[in-house]
Amino acid sequence: MESPFEVLGVPPDADDDEVVDAYRERVKDAHPDQGGSIAEFQAVKTAYERLQNGYEPGDPLPEEDTESEAEPAPPEPDDPLVEFLNFEVLDDRGWALDDDDLFEKAAAADLDTADYGRFYVEPNDTLLEAAEKNEFAWPFACRGGACTNCAVAVVEGEMPSPASHILPPDLTEKGIRLSCIAAPVSDDAKVVYNLKHLPEVSELLLPASRFEQASTD
């Protein structure tokens, strides 16, 4: 197994700023939307987290201790539970965002786990971070509320929208939120992600040519 330094492409004596810069570049390249894979994306995130937690050259990696590779404990049951659906499924199935039984139809359909499912959102995590922790590669770009690449439609539940974002009032009134800066505050929520084909949202997307300028700041 590669060390976290090798995964991020930094020397063992790299300082914190070098590690952060390398992570920001690698996580963008590794994202499935940019030609990477879910496994590569998760490996980059794991490497960064290990360095943030004090990993030093020569420290044993988890594969040397099978106990440490056990599944993490599930989140506390009082964390918000999000049921999600991929917007692309709606076009394929002839469904609409305002269908009263949208999620009932999704639950009854034989959909891929990336298109429909549920996950918990732990305290202090945004919706996008929670999706990534559960190994779902949702679209994003700037991660700072400056584009609509990560937009979701909140069909049910409460998800306040922070003041600093690009969404116009008419979209927020329709329940559109940016998953990179918003998180559910209700016990349960239902969201439709991957709204890039929704006309009102597509107008505010960050073009692929500008992706390299996007950052977590």
Side-chain angles (χ1 to χ4, degrees), residues 121-122 124-132 138-152 154 158-168 172 176-185 215-217:
V121 180
E122 298 179 38
N124 303 316
D125 278 352
T126 64
L127 181 62
L128 178 61
E129 289 170 337
E132 291 172 345
W138 287 11
F140 75 89
C142 73
R143 300 183 80 103
C147 68
T148 55
N149 294 54
C150 71
V152 300
V154 180
E158 297 181 30
M159 193 175 303
S161 188
S164 179
H165 58 75
I166 199 173
L167 291 176
T172 57
I176 305 300
R177 299 290 185 269
L178 300 180
S179 64
C180 71
I181 59 174
V185 296
S215 73
T216 56
D217 292 335

Side-chain angles (χ1 to χ4, degrees), residues 28 33-34 140-141 149 205-214:
K28 288 186 290 185
D33 283 357
Q34 299 301 309
F140 75 89
N149 294 54
L205 291 173
L206 183 65
S209 61
R210 292 181 56 198
F211 190 88
E212 291 304 321
Q213 281 73 52

Side-chain angles (χ1 to χ4, degrees), residues 63-87:
E63 67 174 4
E64 299 173 26
D65 179 4
T66 56
E67 292 299 319
S68 65
E69 288 296 317
E71 287 294 319
E76 293 298 319
D78 57 353
D79 290 339
L81 178 63
V82 171
E83 187 174 359
F84 67 86
L85 178 63
N86 187 347
F87 184 75

